[in-house]
Structures are given as structure tokens and as C-alpha cells.
Amino acid sequence: MSHVAADIETVRDDDAIPYYKPIKPDGRLKDIAKIAAHEAEKRDEQMADASLDRWACRIVALAMQDLTSGERIVRLCKNAEEEAAALREFWWFTTNKVVVGHNFRSFDYPVICTRSWLLGVPFHVFLGMPHRVRTGKHIIDTFEVATFGNGIREAQASVISRGLVPLCRRFGIDVPEDDIDGASIGDAVRDGRWEDVRTHVTHDLNRTIALAQAMNVTSLLEDVVSDEPVATF
């Protein structure tokens, strides 16, 4: 069974701002200026969190590599047309393959599906059986493996972060420093620093591959995936 490592970078989608939840005013506040300041603060929080909300973000970079052939694709998505093209390429590139990523099942994959819906990119998903999206064997998530299925509950209580970079360092994997981190992708996009975005998503892809190899996850699950077709999404 062939495996593809993948990673995405996301930023706030300004087109989604009109659909944000309305801000509920603090009933304890009576002063008009304070009410306005409270609402502005809460809206800023929404704007800051939007890059991690699959219905409020957009993909600005998508990177993937076939772990058998070594073929690698890195796409920058400067507009909706380039994003749609990258998504079509993703679905084509991952056909009949198992996708490997870090926190991929909980974040990257739902974002990829949601953006495909919104941009009209066709794909098949287990809509009738949502539990298979959560547990389907067409995805190997190194975050899930590292937390032994406990996910965010273990991560929140941990001494060592279960993030991609800390886990790589724990394995002694060389982690090159970026000029930016994931939280700064939005600033880089707004400033037009697209090569910084390319560098970051490429480094994250390299880290994902190195962590998967260190954990030996692909060989561990080689026999497990064979009993479920992966061409159905």
C-alpha cells in the first residue's frame, strides 16, 4: 500500500467574516464606549481564531510527497482558483493511497474536505457514515499515534508538547528553524512573503515524513489497511 505524507497551511478567509457568530454584549456593561470596546475585542478574537476554523479559513499552501516514489508536490494558493487546483491535485495524488499527517484527521483532512465543498471541487466522502471519516484507515495520524488515541486530552495534560516540532526534537530529528511559524502564516500572506510560506510548509512536510519514519507508522499499519478499500473517498 502506497503512502502519501501531506500538510497544509491556512489563514483567515475574509469572505467568511459576514457569517461569524454575532457578538453577545456583556450585560454587566452599561457604558456605550465600553460595550463597543468589548465587542471589538471579541471580534478580534474571532478573527484571530478563524485560521483554525475549517469553515472560516482558506488553504494557502498544500504539500505532499509519495513515500514510495519520492514524488513531491508543493502548491501555493494565492487565490481561490489556485486553491481549487491544488485541491483537485490532492484528490488525484492520494487516490488509492493512505495519507500520513500530523493532526491530519482532526484538522487538515476536514479543512481539505470543507474547502473542496465550498470551491466546488468534487470528491467522495463517507457522508452516510461519519464515524468512518473519524476512524477510516485511509489516514495515518502521527498525533493520534503519539497520544495513543487520547488526542487533545493527553496533549493538554502533557509536560512535553505533542506538536510536530517538539516530537521531532524528542526523537533527535534535525528541525531547521523557519523565519516564521504556523501562527505567522497570515502575516506572511498579507505581506506577500510567499516564499516564507513555501519554506514553512516544506519544512513541515519534511518533519512529518521524518516523524512517521521514526515512529515506523507506515509499516506498523501495512497489514491493517489492506482490509478496507481506500478508493472510496
Side-chain angles (χ1 to χ4, degrees), residues 34-46:
K34 290 182 178 180
I35 292 174
H38 170 77
E39 292 178 346
E41 179 184 357
K42 292 301 180 182
R43 179 50 58 94
D44 287 343
E45 290 176 0
Q46 286 183 323

Side-chain angles (χ1 to χ4, degrees), residues 160-173 175 211 214:
I160 296 175
S161 170
R162 303 305 191 255
L164 179 59
V165 170
L167 286 177
C168 283
R169 287 177 172 154
R170 189 68 182 92
F171 274 98
I173 298 167
V175 178
L211 181 61

